[in-house]
Each structure stands twice: as structure tokens, then as C-alpha cells.
Amino acid sequence: MRTLIVGGSGLLGRELVRQCRAGGHEVAATYLTRPGETPGVTWSPLDLRRREDVHALIDAVRPELVVNAAYRQADWTTTAVGAANVALAVSRAGGRLVHVSSDAVFSGAAVHYDETCVPDPITPYGAAKAAAETAVGAISPAAVVARTSLIIGDGDSPQEALVRSLATGGSSGALFTDDVRCPVHVADLAAALLELAASEYRGIHHVAGADAVSRYELGLLIARRDGLDGGLLPSGRRADSGLPGPIDVRLDCAMTQRRLRTELRGARRFLG
Ligand SMILES: NC(=O)c1ccc[n+]([C@@H]2O[C@H](COP(=O)([O-])OP(=O)(O)OC[C@H]3O[C@@H](n4cnc5c(N)ncnc54)[C@H](OP(=O)(O)O)[C@@H]3O)[C@@H](O)[C@H]2O)c1
């Protein structure tokens, strides 16, 4: 299958590229600042904010599958308008679209969220992700929109880097004991996205890990896996920090998990 990974140089994008190559796909991938290093992949620079460039690339590659894993947390145009640009180009050229979204579309007021819950974002990032979902759903109703949570790898995610840095005195700060998410391993996430891509399912899916854990518990799990002293990790309460944003957001993935062979392992398992 001819597959285009938009944002192929990112944390999730790199794993998607790797699994697509391993699965025998013909892979093209995009980056904004620096190409990825996976061999056998056609790397192209692409700025999603430039609609004509998005159309030109998709017209040139003619992918049968596009996975959009690109975003920029503080940039509405990349995250929301860019997602619409991809959906427009794919709907014009034809092909399957999987769009990656986030638990940030929820405020946390209800704590538990399944695929039927309506977004109620309380941050600009969450609003941009919710706007992207709306645009993708309107332009490409057959697309899969997959919401995920904190993405953890085998050492290369920002969350793991933060834990290393806190545990070794490289940075100051605290891991919150009340800030709860459902972290997912990047390999499970990529496999689930590719499974959904190969299916006939459409619309919103929740693809997160099975365990709800606080950032502090996650830090302890990462520290133990990496042989670091978890006792050195500073803790605190987000509720006391005054930081804006959702506190406790748990994606209920039961419906999506029933549709998948890939098991969405919880953090206590994949870090255990
Ligand atoms: N990481 C998490 O914990 C988390 C949690 C929930 C949801 N998500 C969602 O998961 C998806 C993947 O996240 P990630 O952590 O893998 O992201 P990431 O590592 O930050 O990678 C982002 C990718 O987007 C590209 N990009 C940035 N601005 C762009 C632009 N204007 N035009 C085109 N490409 C652009 C980057 O290219 P360069 O690297 O070349 O700059 C990179 O390839 C996103 O949709 C995100 O919202 C992530």
C-alpha cells in the first residue's frame, strides 16, 4: 500500500513509518524542520499551513492511505487549519485518511470520556484539536479520527526525558499527583492506527492505554524501568499550581478496543 505519514519525523510519526516499512508499505513521509532517518522512505518537507503545498504533495504521491500525525501545540494554523488542508487534499485525490487527535479536546469536568462525548476544550490547544476533528469529520466523513493520550516510547518521548531530567537534577519542577491521563505506548498506538486504517470503521475512536495514572505515578514507573531513583522525583498537585488546563481526563477505549486485535496496554504493564 502507498502510505503517506504526515508528521513522519515526530514521536508517533517515526513509529508509524517504522511499522509501515516493516509491513511492506511503500512509505512517503513529511517533516517540517528535519527529515526522519528511517531508510527506504521518501522524505518531503511540508508545511501544513500552506494549503497549495499540501495539495501538490498529495497529488504527487497519490497515497492510498494518509495518516496525519502532525501538529504544533501552540499553533492553531498548523493544528486546526493544517488538518483541514490535509482532509481537503485527501478527499480531492481519493484515499483513506486517519487523523490523530487528543484527549485535550475534553475539559476533565466529567473525568471519564467515551467516543460519544462531545468536546468541551478549555485550552487553545484543545480547541484547535476539536476544530480539527470537526473539519476532518465534515470534509471526510469516512475518515478515522483517533483520540489518544500521553504517548510514551522506549525512552524517546518528552515525558520520559522530563522524568530523567527531574530524577538527575537536570531540571526543577514537579510531577502532579492529581493530573491523570491514560498513557499509551507508541508501538501500540501506531499498530492500532494502522489496524483502523485497514478496517472499514469511520469517525471517532479512542486509542489510549488501559491504565489511568497520575503524572507522578507515571514518573515512578519510568524511573523504575530506567534504573533511576524514583525517590528523587518531586511531586505536587496541579490543583494547587494555578496552571490552566484539564486535570483528570480518562479516555474510555472499550468500544475501540473491541474493534482491534492490538491490545492497548496500560502504563503499569508496558513500563512494568
Ligand atoms: N505526544 C503526546 O503525548 C500526545 C498526546 C495526545 C495526543 N497527541 C497527538 O498525537 C499526534 C502526534 O504527536 P507527537 O507527540 O508524535 O508529535 P511531535 O513529536 O511533536 O511531532 C509533530 C510532527 O508535526 C510536524 N509539524 C509541526 N508543525 C508542522 C507544520 N506546520 N506543518 C507540517 N508538519 C508540522 C513536526 O515536524 P518537525 O519535527 O520536522 O518539526 C513533526 O513531524 C498529534 O496529533 C498530537 O496532537 C500527542
Side-chain angles (χ1 to χ4, degrees):
M1 178 179 289
R2 203 162 45 252
T3 299
L4 174 67
I5 308 297
V6 177
S9 56
L11 171 64
L12 173 59
R14 291 193 298 274
E15 179 63 16
L16 284 163
V17 165
R18 192 191 68 74
Q19 290 192 19
C20 285
R21 284 289 297 145
H25 295 229
E26 183 187 327
V27 185
T30 78
Y31 62 94
L32 182 67
T33 53
R34 219 162 56 122
E37 286 163 7
T38 315
V41 173
T42 308
W43 289 97
S44 302
L46 179 69
D47 188 336
L48 287 188
R49 294 167 291 193
R50 300 171 60 87
R51 179 171 298 172
E52 60 284 5
D53 292 358
V54 178
H55 280 270
L57 182 73
I58 287 182
D59 286 348
V61 175
R62 289 270 151 191
E64 295 154 277
L65 167 64
V66 176
V67 184
N68 181 9
Y71 86 120
R72 186 71 76 206
Q73 182 137 7
D75 183 14
W76 177 281
T77 312
T78 293
T79 303
V81 181
N85 290 341
V86 172
L88 281 167
V90 176
S91 75
R92 198 178 71 172
R96 180 90 164 122
L97 173 63
V98 174
H99 171 80
V100 183
S101 190
S102 169
D103 57 7
V105 301
F106 296 121
S107 68
V111 179
H112 297 273
Y113 296 90
D114 69 17
E115 287 87 347
T116 65
C117 293
V118 175
D120 62 342
I122 55 171
T123 61
Y125 168 55
K129 294 299 284 187
E133 287 187 357
T134 302
V136 170
I139 296 164
S140 302
V144 165
V145 174
R147 293 185 186 129
T148 191
S149 187
L150 265 186
I151 305 173
I152 305 298
D154 294 317
D156 51 349
S157 70
Q159 191 67 28
E160 291 160 282
L162 172 66
V163 170
R164 269 196 304 278
S165 173
L166 287 171
T168 55
S171 61
S172 58
L175 294 171
F176 297 128
T177 54
D178 56 345
D179 186 327
V180 177
R181 297 291 186 276
C182 295
V184 66
H185 194 277
V186 69
D188 297 349
L189 174 58
L193 294 174
L194 295 176
E195 237 192 290
L196 288 169
S199 74
E200 302 209 323
Y201 295 119
R202 55 172 60 200
I204 303 283
H205 288 75
H206 283 183
V207 188
D211 297 331
V213 298
S214 71
R215 303 242 182 196
Y216 181 65
E217 181 182 352
L218 182 64
L220 292 177
L221 291 166
I222 291 169
R224 194 176 61 189
R225 180 200 64 184
D226 293 352
L228 299 165
D229 182 357
L232 296 176
L233 291 176
S235 64
R237 275 172 46 80
R238 184 171 184 136
D240 301 333
S241 74
L243 272 180
I247 293 184
D248 190 343
V249 180
R250 307 177 191 204
L251 291 183
D252 177 338
C253 302
M255 186 281 285
T256 298
Q257 181 64 85
R258 278 195 296 277
R259 295 180 168 183
L260 293 172
R261 286 187 312 278
T262 302
E263 186 188 357
L264 298 166
R265 293 170 295 159
R268 295 186 190 107
R269 270 235 358 248
F270 66 71
L271 291 168

